[in-house]
Amino acid sequence: MMDALLQYLLTGITLGATYALVGLGFAIIYNASGVVNFAQGEFVMVGAMGAIAMVSGGAPLPVAILAAMAMTVLVGLALERFAIAQARGASVVAVIIITIGASVFLRGAALLIWGKQFHALPHFSGDTPIHIGGATLLPQNLWVMGVTALLVFGVHRFFNKTLTGKAILACSENPMAAALAGIPVRRMLLFSYGLSAALGSAAGVLVAPISLASYESGMMLGLKGFCAAILGGMGSPMGAVAGGVILGVLESLGAGLIDSGYKDAIAFIVILFVLFFRPSGLFGKKQGARV
Amino acid sequence: MSFKKNLTMAAAVVSLGLGVATAQAENIKIGTFLSVTGPASFLGDPELKTLKMYVDKVNAKGGIDGRQVELIHYDTGTQAKMAVKFAKRLLKKDRVHAIVGGTTSGSSIAVMPDIKRARVPFVSLAGSVKIIEPVQKWTFKMPHTDRMAAAKIFTDMKARGISKIALITGDGGFDKSGRTQSQALAPQYGIKIVADESYGKKDTDMTAQLTKIRTTDAQAILNFGLGSGPAIVTRNVRQLGITVPLYQSHGVASKKFIQLAGKAAEGVRLPAAALLVAESLPDSDPQKQVLLDYKNSYEAKHGSVSTFGGHAYDGLMVVLQAIDRANSLDSRKIRDEIEKTQGFVGTGGVFNMSATDHLGLGMDAFKMLEIKNGNWTIVK
């Protein structure tokens, strides 16, 4: 029983780590502009599918991964430059609808380019299972956890210690004041889309060897990442990370201990409960305006 | 005045033209709704390619009795809801003479009430035994049933001395039906199901369910599923260091499965139609020529062949041959002729239908395969 429990935990953390990276991407754009970017899941898909395409085209794995991430960042920048920036002055809801449109567009483009089939990315360092106690892990699981931890740490440092990071936060707080203080608001927004795309594509290439990828695979991951961000408290990057890991572990424990049929339901029920009793999420700041 | 005259002339010419058009043989309209996108797209995609390819071939040879065949196609995106919508459109608006399609069991079963009402012959390309049991007058089916698959697998398990197994299934129609059939058949083979797990069709990780299975004393694992699920199950089984034999259903009978599961696919056993091992069949096998013909013409155009495209070939041929024999586009006559199909050698086996059997395949239509060195081999 202990062995099984350990296995559920390890699986859950791996799954959760990817949700966390996607959730982090949501949080960054939300922080910069108050917009929920529903194309975040498609960043994951573009990263994964791009890497797979390049590997099958003969590129060595590290090159393919970096190139795919660079490509996704370009997609993110293009999304901001050609879709979001064009709608300057539009309401937040209108921009959110634009991101939904962008996600449909990206999915369609991926369908045309890469077809409908599922594809697999080779494991980064072999697929011989590692035994830990009674549980097993793939080297890839370690990659997922390790790289996620590293990226999360980097993002955390970035927002708290660097001027650029603080400038982005300032933009979300009050764009007008930030602009008056000499912060190039538009460039900050562009930057936050690029950063989100980088994080999303990292999640994509990390899990592609474990979970396979197709043109549709961003949808579910995007949804789970969104849940992670909501659970942690929208706009709190570290909250999104915690939310992701909690969600992953809950899913895994739910599938193992209760019933695999209720796996997704369990996660969503917990989110409903959290939102009911703590509407700002587990780690979100209390906000509200008196009118 | 002369203008008016011209107009009547024109009208006469037009109506004459129409008259000629109707006098010419009416096209044979074959409708189809397939999962060309969505989780079951790897089934629906080769099915559509096969249908298009063979409709073109038949038309190039002058059609059936001088009639051209017209294929009317819709993509359901693997949603039963859409299948119902498109089936209704095929029956009411397009007024097709027969329907060959329904990639998944869920979508096939969902359209059957409409088929019954419209009285148009329907040949399903899905696996579940529920499609033809109880027999419905207007519904036929080409692929082997999940019950036959379960029976074939249990026979093989028994031969290997396996008596306790763990079941893991997806949440699609094919998967659920396969689960029910396995549960019903197991006692007859002296096999006990000690674990019964499930997963969602878009899930990307099944280690939690398999960990639960690992804690039982199962001597083998049986997975009924379609799409990416079975490939992930196969990978997860190896990843968890589970060493008991893994059986899959005929739902994974395509090269794509081996590609996706990679090294983890080694040693996986599954029942499948002979198409996958066409070259290694003895020359005396009646199916060999049909299989090689289909395989070669499909692979010349679209790459690696799968048994699913083969089912579409079988369905189309059964319907067209029935129309040829019926010498009419009357749906009742076509239906009667489909039911009289005897000795039709298809990719799935030799079909002998009757009023009580709307599939017409015997157990010998299935071969037990094992994946060795990234390829299919016939067991024993």
Side-chain angles (χ1 to χ4, degrees):
Chain A
M1 192 59 216
M2 278 318 285
D3 292 351
L5 213 59
L6 181 63
Q7 184 73 55
Y8 299 145
L9 221 61
L10 288 174
T11 304
I13 293 173
T14 313
L15 268 177
T18 51
Y19 300 163
L21 279 183
V22 184
L24 194 55
F26 273 111
I28 288 170
I29 290 181
Y30 183 83
N31 258 349
S33 59
V35 164
V36 180
N37 169 31
F38 279 103
Q40 191 65 35
E42 270 56 45
F43 291 159
V44 180
M45 177 271 293
V46 171
M49 294 299 283
I52 290 167
M54 276 178 256
V55 166
S56 54
L61 192 61
V63 178
I65 289 171
L66 290 176
M69 286 180 67
M71 189 177 91
T72 315
V73 170
L74 281 181
V75 170
L77 295 178
L79 170 66
E80 204 283 333
R81 179 69 189 75
F82 297 114
I84 310 290
Q86 302 302 319
R88 215 152 13 119
S91 68
V92 167
V93 176
V95 179
I96 290 176
I97 292 173
I98 292 177
T99 67
I100 295 177
S103 86
V104 174
F105 170 78
L106 286 174
R107 220 177 301 142
L111 173 64
L112 285 180
I113 302 171
W114 293 303
K116 285 159 267 182
Q117 302 275 15
F118 272 87
H119 301 273
L121 191 67
H123 290 255
F124 294 3
S125 41
D127 52 1
T128 323
I130 306 165
H131 293 262
I132 300 176
T136 49
L137 263 185
L138 284 178
Q140 193 65 32
N141 292 50
L142 296 178
W143 275 104
V144 175
M145 294 183 211
V147 176
T148 303
L150 222 75
L151 288 174
V152 166
F153 177 72
V155 169
H156 183 73
R157 293 273 305 185
F158 172 73
F159 276 113
N160 286 292
K161 301 279 188 246
T162 69
L163 204 60
T164 323
K166 287 178 177 163
I168 291 182
L169 291 178
C171 294
S172 80
E173 210 57 50
N174 188 336
M176 179 85 79
L180 286 175
I183 298 172
V185 177
R186 287 203 50 197
R187 204 178 310 151
M188 287 302 135
L189 205 59
L190 194 64
F191 181 82
S192 65
Y193 271 86
L195 185 59
S196 286
L199 289 172
S201 62
V205 292
L206 283 170
V207 292
I210 301 179
S211 62
L212 314 179
S214 80
Y215 77 101
E216 283 187 314
S217 60
M219 254 156 77
M220 204 55 186
L221 270 172
L223 189 65
K224 293 281 169 67
F226 179 61
C227 288
I230 292 275
L231 187 61
M234 205 74 203
S236 153
M238 291 311 113
V241 172
V245 176
I246 292 171
L247 194 63
V249 171
L250 275 178
E251 271 190 17
S252 174
L253 286 178
L257 297 180
I258 304 172
D259 188 306
S260 42
Y262 299 129
K263 198 187 83 184
D264 289 331
I266 291 163
F268 288 121
I269 286 170
V270 170
I271 289 166
L272 283 179
F273 263 92
V274 168
L275 290 181
F276 195 70
F277 293 108
R278 273 192 67 96
S280 52
L282 288 176
F283 304 91
K285 9 182 213 295
K286 278 247 160 61
Q287 35 174 264
R290 276 177 189 278
V291 211
Chain B
M1 199 60 195
S2 78
F3 173 73
K4 207 172 186 179
K5 201 174 174 186
N6 277 344
L7 203 67
T8 25
M9 275 287 282
V13 169
V14 168
S15 58
L16 203 70
L18 282 175
V20 169
T22 40
Q24 228 175 28
E26 188 188 348
N27 278 354
I28 299 170
K29 282 195 250 176
I30 304 284
T32 184
F33 57 95
L34 299 168
S35 307
V36 183
T37 55
S41 62
F42 73 107
L43 308 168
D45 189 53
E47 285 168 358
L48 180 62
K49 283 175 179 159
T50 302
L51 288 179
K52 281 187 172 160
M53 194 166 90
Y54 277 89
V55 164
D56 288 347
K57 274 192 178 192
V58 168
N59 285 337
K61 280 185 190 156
I64 307 284
D65 299 333
R67 297 177 195 273
Q68 289 284 294
V69 181
E70 186 184 338
L71 186 71
I72 300 167
H73 158 257
Y74 298 108
D75 173 16
T76 66
T78 320
Q79 292 177 44
K81 203 171 57 188
M82 297 304 280
V84 172
K85 187 179 140 194
F86 289 134
K88 280 189 173 135
R89 191 181 296 176
L90 287 169
L91 295 166
K92 290 184 183 148
K93 196 165 149 273
D94 301 323
R95 301 210 156 264
V96 294
H97 299 112
I99 296 180
V100 178
T103 302
T104 63
S105 299
S107 62
S108 296
I109 292 169
V111 305
M112 279 159 64
D114 285 304
I115 295 288
K116 199 173 159 188
R117 230 170 289 134
R119 296 166 187 272
V120 167
F122 168 50
V123 179
S124 167
L125 305 178
S128 172
V129 72
K130 285 186 202 153
I131 299 167
I132 46 157
E133 252 176 54
V135 173
Q136 287 217 18
K137 195 173 174 195
W138 296 92
T139 304
F140 300 85
K141 161 175 147 61
M142 284 297 128
H144 322 76
T145 64
D146 36 14
R147 184 181 301 161
M148 290 163 70
K152 194 84 185 176
I153 290 169
F154 289 152
T155 312
D156 191 66
M157 285 177 171
K158 223 175 146 190
R160 284 167 112 181
I162 292 165
S163 62
K164 284 179 186 159
I165 64 157
L167 199 58
I168 178 165
T169 47
D171 63 355
F174 173 82
D175 324 41
K176 280 189 195 155
S177 171
R179 171 171 170 268
T180 318
Q181 297 306 326
S182 303
Q183 285 170 329
L185 269 183
Q188 291 179 29
Y189 291 83
I191 286 170
K192 206 174 150 216
I193 296 173
V194 294
D196 179 14
E197 296 292 320
S198 69
Y199 54 86
K201 45 170 174 263
K202 284 187 180 167
D203 281 7
T204 53
D205 183 280
M206 287 70 159
T207 45
Q209 292 92 320
L210 290 166
T211 304
K212 217 167 159 186
I213 288 174
R214 194 170 57 177
T215 59
T216 67
D217 56 350
Q219 296 162 301
I221 299 172
L222 169 56
N223 174 209
F224 254 97
L226 285 178
S228 58
I232 296 173
V233 167
T234 307
R235 284 166 155 244
N236 287 169
V237 162
R238 297 293 173 251
Q239 169 194 341
L240 290 173
I242 298 173
T243 50
V244 299
L246 173 63
Y247 284 83
Q248 295 278 359
S249 71
H250 52 315
V252 304
S254 76
K255 263 278 159 60
K256 195 71 205 171
F257 170 74
I258 301 184
Q259 274 171 32
L260 285 180
K263 263 192 293 175
E266 288 297 301
V268 169
R269 285 193 176 188
L270 67 146
L275 180 61
L276 296 179
V277 286
E279 281 91 352
S280 21
L281 290 174
D283 286 337
S284 59
D285 195 304
Q287 268 188 282
K288 186 163 186 174
Q289 200 48 50
V290 175
L291 292 173
L292 287 177
D293 284 349
Y294 171 71
K295 193 179 167 156
N296 293 337
S297 39
Y298 186 90
E299 291 191 341
K301 248 183 127 168
H302 300 296
S304 201
V305 82
S306 76
T307 55
F308 315 114
H311 298 317
Y313 166 85
D314 294 353
L316 182 69
M317 289 305 150
V318 161
V319 168
L320 291 182
Q321 288 186 5
I323 292 174
D324 194 14
R325 287 197 304 269
N327 229 335
S328 147
L329 287 181
D330 181 60
S331 57
R332 190 172 300 270
K333 285 186 189 150
I334 298 175
R335 190 216 78 90
D336 290 349
E337 284 301 332
I338 295 177
E339 197 169 72
K340 284 185 207 147
T341 299
Q342 284 293 318
F344 166 71
V345 182
T347 64
V350 181
F351 292 81
N352 292 300
M353 294 192 185
S354 70
T356 52
D357 184 0
H358 277 190
L359 167 65
L361 284 178
M363 278 289 283
D364 56 330
F366 258 143
K367 309 273 182 245
M368 196 64 188
L369 303 185
E370 186 173 308
I371 298 169
K372 273 186 194 157
N373 302 321
N375 213 341
W376 318 101
T377 52
I378 304 177
V379 173
K380 109 171 122 252

